[in-house]
């Protein structure tokens, strides 16, 4: 029995995208607690603690605002897990897990071919979303003023290297395309078919680089680092290790996963309190999600897996619906705006999903 089957991986994608698209709406509202995603702000933690100490009706929304961005590490974990199963695992493991199918060695296709293939998997999704968003952004209030350099860097997935990435990446979530492309390069050049110790070493080095910013936890250095592959190596490396080291031993059982789920919740909250421990929160976010998926009843697992099946389309289109409908919530109708945003995002995602599949098969 291996760690995750196809349905469980799809359910993880579903849970991750729900967190991301809820967070990317809510954290723009002034009443919501802000997250610590790229930088560590002690004031954000203090406000979260006060909300937990005296919870109100909107606490679930506040938690999505603060923690929802951690769907990104779950996607990075699944990306690493899927790469190993597709390019390194035995055919039996590859067929059983992560929706991957056996492939020829990526050594046979060459580094350039491997990277180009993965770039072209991402590019149609990003281009479709960027084009539609640009039109919507232009005709709605508060439009962004792109430079031609920003557009080229976005389309080439290099905008993460900007000296002020949070100022030029618009719509914000599309920075993920550059991040995942960087990790594909790191995997193919440094970690592909290498001993698991190489992955552990990469995680430690990337942690040390981030830890060196302890003197300025809310500075621009840690901001740039966490927009790039150094900031995403921990969950990505966990995915590589989970696939490389999994065995055919029996599943751990529901008791173990319940323990894992509960311990991870406590760890996520406790580790979020200081800069040095905050760097390890993504590891427990991944463990929390794995434990949760293992505990879900079958009907619930299927529902999350369905959302996971359109997760790429939701990711691409949710900035579009956010730009249109967030004024409703900003003007006082929080739940009305959020409900319309959720429904229209799902409907638009189903349309985008069909378009993306059509483009990808050409």
């Amino acid at each position: 029995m291996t760690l995750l089957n196809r349905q469980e991986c799809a359910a993880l994608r579903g849970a991750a995208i729900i967190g991301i698209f809820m967070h990317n709406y809510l954290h723009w509202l002034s009443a919501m607690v802000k997250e610590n995603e790229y930088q560590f702000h002690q004031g954000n933690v203090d406000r979260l603690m006060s909300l937990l100490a005296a919870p109100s009706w909107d606490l679930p929304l506040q938690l999505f605002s603060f923690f929802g961005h951690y769907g990104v590490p779950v996607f990075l974990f699944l990306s690493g897990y899927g790469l190993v199963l597709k390019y390194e695992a035995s055919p039996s493991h590859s067929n059983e897990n992560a929706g991957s199918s056996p492939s020829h060695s990526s050594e046979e296709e060459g580094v350039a071919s491997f990277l180009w293939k993965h770039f072209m998997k991402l590019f149609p999704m990003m281009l479709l979303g960027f084009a539609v968003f640009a039109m919507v952004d232009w005709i709605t209030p508060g439009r962004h003023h792109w430079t031609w350099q920003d557009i080229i860097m976005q389309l080439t997935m290099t905008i993460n290297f900007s000296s002020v990435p949070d100022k030029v990446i618009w719509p914000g979530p599309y920075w993920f395309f550059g991040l995942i492309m960087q990790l594909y390069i790191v995997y193919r050049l440094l970690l592909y078919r290498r001993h698991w110790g190489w992955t552990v070493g990469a995680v430690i080095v990337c942690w040390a680089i981030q830890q060196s910013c302890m003197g300025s936890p809310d500075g621009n250095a840690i901001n740039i680092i966490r927009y790039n592959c150094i900031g995403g190596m921990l969950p990505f490396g966990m995915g590589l290790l989970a696939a490389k080291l999994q065995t055919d031993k029996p599943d751990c059982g529901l008791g173990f996963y319940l323990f894992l789920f509960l311990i991870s919740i406590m760890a996520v909250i406790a580790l979020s309190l200081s800069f040095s421990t905050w760097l390890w929160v993504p590891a427990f976010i991944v463990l929390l999600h794995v434990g949760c998926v293992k505990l879900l009843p079958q009907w619930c697992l299927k529902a999350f897996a369905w959302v996971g099946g359109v997760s790429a389309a939701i990711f691409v289109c949710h900035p579009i619906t956010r730009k249109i409908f967030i004024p409703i919530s900003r003007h006082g109708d929080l739940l009305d705006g959020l409900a319309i945003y959720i429904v229209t995002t799902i409907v638009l995602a189903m349309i985008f999903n069909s378009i993306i599949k059509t483009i990808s098969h050409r």
Side-chain angles (χ1 to χ4, degrees):
M1 177 69 72
T2 47
L3 179 61
L4 297 165
N5 60 38
R6 292 186 180 190
Q7 187 180 49
E8 290 167 342
C9 287
L12 281 173
R13 286 193 292 272
I17 196 60
I18 289 171
I20 290 170
F21 96 95
M22 290 289 287
H23 159 78
N24 281 329
Y25 184 92
L26 292 166
H27 82 137
W28 283 95
L29 304 177
S30 59
M32 295 290 120
V33 61
K34 300 304 181 282
E35 74 287 350
N36 287 337
E37 185 172 6
Y38 313 107
Q39 300 160 301
F40 183 85
H41 299 276
Q42 186 61 50
N44 294 345
V45 176
D46 295 340
R47 187 178 176 200
L48 174 67
M49 292 299 104
S50 67
L51 290 170
L52 292 174
S56 60
W57 69 268
D58 64 348
L59 181 60
L61 303 183
Q62 300 283 1
L63 293 177
F64 270 120
S65 179
F66 188 86
F67 290 110
H69 67 90
Y70 282 117
V72 170
V74 178
F75 276 119
L76 297 182
F77 169 82
L78 288 169
S79 295
Y81 189 72
L83 283 172
V84 172
L85 291 177
K86 185 171 184 178
Y87 292 103
E88 301 183 39
S90 64
S92 60
H93 282 173
S94 184
N95 279 329
E96 183 182 343
N97 295 275
S100 299
S101 56
S103 71
H104 296 294
S105 166
S106 60
E107 242 175 13
E108 295 174 5
E109 65 180 342
V111 174
S113 176
F114 173 88
L115 297 177
W116 177 251
K117 180 174 69 176
H118 284 279
F119 179 88
M120 291 308 298
K121 284 182 179 179
L122 299 172
F123 185 75
M125 292 188 291
M126 181 190 66
L127 181 62
L128 174 64
F130 186 76
V132 177
F133 178 84
M135 290 186 287
V136 169
D137 187 66
W138 183 256
I139 62 177
T140 52
R143 64 176 179 261
H144 181 75
H145 295 282
W146 284 283
T147 67
W148 66 268
Q149 296 99 325
D150 296 340
I151 295 173
I152 291 175
M153 291 180 73
Q154 180 64 68
L155 295 181
T156 56
M157 304 183 200
T158 57
I159 200 165
N160 303 53
F161 295 119
S162 170
S163 59
V164 282
D166 49 339
K167 304 298 182 184
V168 299
I169 296 176
W170 187 247
Y174 289 4
W175 70 277
F176 179 80
F177 291 107
L179 170 66
I180 197 64
M181 197 63 216
Q182 290 178 35
L183 290 169
Y184 286 148
I185 293 171
V186 171
Y187 168 73
R188 186 58 186 85
L189 294 180
L190 299 178
L191 306 177
Y192 168 69
R193 292 193 182 277
R194 293 190 184 272
H195 186 271
W196 57 265
W198 281 75
T199 301
V200 173
V203 169
I204 293 173
V205 169
C206 290
W207 163 80
I209 293 172
Q210 294 176 82
Q211 181 63 31
S212 69
C213 298
M214 183 173 61
S216 183
D218 56 354
N220 194 46
I222 189 67
N223 185 46
I224 294 174
I225 286 170
R226 289 179 67 84
Y227 264 103
N228 289 283
C229 64
I230 293 173
M233 184 55 65
L234 173 58
F236 183 73
M238 288 178 65
L240 297 178
L241 292 172
K244 286 175 182 286
L245 301 178
Q246 66 184 352
T247 67
D248 291 322
K249 293 180 180 179
D251 199 10
C252 296
L254 293 180
F256 171 80
Y257 290 116
L258 178 59
F259 174 78
L260 182 68
F261 176 72
L262 296 175
I263 287 295
S264 296
I265 289 177
M266 292 186 286
V268 165
I269 295 174
L271 296 180
S272 297
L273 301 181
S274 68
F275 174 80
S276 294
T277 54
W278 164 71
L279 298 175
W280 294 99
V281 170
F284 288 92
I285 287 288
V286 169
L287 296 177
L288 186 157
H289 279 76
V290 171
C292 179
V293 162
K294 291 290 187 177
L295 294 170
L296 291 177
Q298 189 61 29
W299 67 269
C300 195
L301 190 67
K302 287 182 179 179
F304 276 99
W306 181 87
V307 176
V310 293
S311 59
I314 291 175
F315 180 81
V316 167
C317 73
H318 81 273
I320 301 166
T321 52
R322 178 188 65 189
K323 184 72 193 297
I324 296 171
F325 296 113
I326 200 169
I328 299 174
S329 293
R330 282 177 168 165
H331 294 156
D333 297 320
L334 170 59
L335 296 182
D336 293 344
L338 181 61
I340 296 172
Y341 165 72
I342 292 171
V343 172
T344 54
T345 297
I346 293 174
V347 172
L348 187 61
M350 294 169 68
I351 299 171
F352 268 46
N353 195 51
S354 299
I355 297 172
I356 291 168
K357 285 183 176 179
T358 301
I359 294 174
S360 300
H361 289 145
R362 288 186 175 180

